[in-house]
Amino acid sequence: MSAADSPVPRLVARLRAAGCVFAEDEAALLVQAASSPEELETLLGARVSGVPLEQLLGWTEFCGLRIAVEPGVFVPRQRTALLVQEAARSCGPGSVVVDLCCGSGAIGAALAALVPGIELHATDLDAVAVRCARRNLPGGQVHQGDLFAALPARLRHRVQVLACHAPYVPSGAIGAMPPEARDHEPRTALDGGVDGLDVLRRVIGAAPDWLAPAGVLLFEVGEDQVDSATAELVSRGLGARLARRPDIGATVLVAVAQDMSPGAGPAAS
């Protein structure tokens, strides 16, 4: 196909008019994904209407991996790479690792690639997310259910790394989100209640019953939620450390369970 015949310039123009910041890159990916001019037109129309590019392609790149993404599943954000990096520092072969509120399973997949030999478990309440996570985590155990209720009881006090991507957007801020998220991702993966911390409070409250001695809990928050989330951790006897990467807009809290070795005090519950 000659440059004059290429559909890319037309696609770029329509994508730009729709507000797509990376119109050139998106146009190239849509051309690659389409098997016919008719399919290309359908994909373009869906993208211009606000459907996430990743859901149209069926995949997204995350931490160097191609992660399968289905319609109706939360699309992993690039800023979550910081959570993965911090989690990888705390586990090794044989460590029990849980990807809580796993969505597509992107965090678990990235950790399994970085640290081969972990015992990986993932949980989500949503059946579509669980199906998608099972595609991305063939070597892990994916459980459907509400937070810790989905996990096997044998994991109590054995989890070395508890990586949680709970919803943390305040309910009142959902309407201001980009339409890709607001209209095409499950509300349960976005809405964290009035201050954004409703689900995280439940996670923090139950985490000491699941973490191994010196196990870590990691989760993302907004900058304006750091103080409140830190106070919740301290109230449960969890030490807190803040990790930031301003270049990708990432803020992660890393909480460490109290040491339960002989001579150490009991963890808060």
Side-chain angles (χ1 to χ4, degrees), residues 143-232:
H143 315 278
Q144 183 178 354
D146 184 26
L147 299 179
F148 298 97
L151 291 174
R154 65 181 177 80
L155 297 185
R156 286 182 179 273
H157 302 297
R158 292 187 55 228
V159 178
Q160 184 59 40
V161 170
L162 178 57
C164 178
H165 198 285
Y168 62 92
V169 179
S171 301
I174 297 292
M177 295 186 73
E180 288 92 337
R182 183 186 67 231
D183 300 334
H184 296 280
E185 293 182 323
R187 180 92 179 203
T188 53
L190 304 172
D191 194 339
V194 174
D195 65 353
L197 298 178
D198 281 2
V199 179
L200 281 170
R201 286 191 183 92
R202 293 178 58 208
V203 172
I204 293 167
D209 290 333
W210 294 88
L211 291 173
V216 297
L217 163 66
L218 308 96
F219 55 86
E220 288 182 7
V221 288
E223 280 290 340
D224 59 347
Q225 297 169 320
V226 169
D227 289 346
S228 296
T230 300
E232 292 286 341

Side-chain angles (χ1 to χ4, degrees), residues 25-44:
D25 294 338
E26 292 198 13
L29 288 168
L30 290 174
V31 169
Q32 292 173 15
S35 59
S36 68
E38 293 76 19
E39 184 180 9
L40 178 59
E41 195 62 30
T42 298
L43 291 173
L44 176 62

Side-chain angles (χ1 to χ4, degrees), residues 78-187:
Q78 297 307 312
R79 62 174 173 266
T80 305
L82 176 61
L83 192 154
V84 172
Q85 293 162 5
E86 292 293 327
R89 295 169 55 183
S90 298
C91 59
S95 295
V96 176
V97 176
V98 172
D99 181 357
L100 201 68
C101 304
C102 67
S104 65
I107 292 172
L111 282 171
L114 285 172
V115 190
I118 60 174
E119 180 185 336
L120 177 63
H121 296 260
T123 77
D124 203 284
L125 184 62
D126 184 76
V128 178
V130 167
R131 183 177 68 230
C132 190
R134 285 176 176 153
R135 293 174 59 193
N136 290 313
L137 301 172
Q141 301 178 58
V142 183
H143 315 278
Q144 183 178 354
D146 184 26
L147 299 179
F148 298 97
L151 291 174
R154 65 181 177 80
L155 297 185
R156 286 182 179 273
H157 302 297
R158 292 187 55 228
V159 178
Q160 184 59 40
V161 170
L162 178 57
C164 178
H165 198 285
Y168 62 92
V169 179
S171 301
I174 297 292
M177 295 186 73
E180 288 92 337
R182 183 186 67 231
D183 300 334
H184 296 280
E185 293 182 323
R187 180 92 179 203

